[in-house]
Amino acid sequence: MASVLTTTSTVTCVHDGAVTFTGQTKLRFATNPVLVRTDPLLTNTAIGCKNSGSGITPCKNVTGITGGVAVKLRAGARPVLLDGLAGTTNGVVAGLFQLLKTPSTANQTKLTAQ
């Protein structure tokens, strides 16, 4: 079982830029909204990415999620995000898209899902 991410969780790109995800109001843990997979993903932004230099694009948006999405637990018809969250951003180094840093930190262990 993986811990559910909430608005107090830490999700970053590999360059330590903070990624923000949409919290929702239907499911909360200790008053904090759980994070859900949004559509489109580009509404999730990375702030403070340190990826810079000639021919390098800093991470600004999440472009895909490849893991860490609950199979059964949903909030408002959207799957919740788990501490195994993995994905890509629009940051580019040598033509390769950059990744979200895994594992994310849920900052709680009581609410879990598969």
Side-chain angles (χ1 to χ4, degrees):
M1 293 290 232
S3 295
V4 173
L5 299 178
T6 70
T7 53
T8 63
S9 300
T10 304
V11 179
T12 63
C13 70
V14 292
H15 315 104
D16 294 323
V19 179
T20 59
F21 284 87
T22 302
Q24 48 61 59
T25 58
K26 293 187 184 280
L27 180 60
R28 294 174 179 267
F29 177 76
T31 73
N32 301 308
V34 301
L35 300 182
V36 296
R37 182 174 181 157
T38 58
D39 189 24
L41 290 173
L42 292 177
T43 60
N44 304 315
T45 58
I47 300 169
C49 175
K50 297 176 182 94
N51 194 25
S52 64
S54 178
I56 295 174
T57 304
C59 304
K60 291 196 179 189
N61 299 99
V62 175
T63 57
I65 292 178
T66 59
V69 179
V71 176
K72 295 182 181 180
L73 183 59
R74 295 179 178 272
R78 293 184 177 159
V80 301
L81 300 178
L82 307 173
D83 62 2
L85 182 66
T88 56
T89 72
N90 66 334
V92 178
V93 177
L96 300 173
F97 285 99
Q98 299 298 290
L99 304 175
L100 296 177
K101 187 183 284 185
T102 56
S104 301
T105 306
N107 295 330
Q108 64 85 22
T109 57
K110 294 187 179 193
L111 181 59
T112 60
Q114 292 181 320

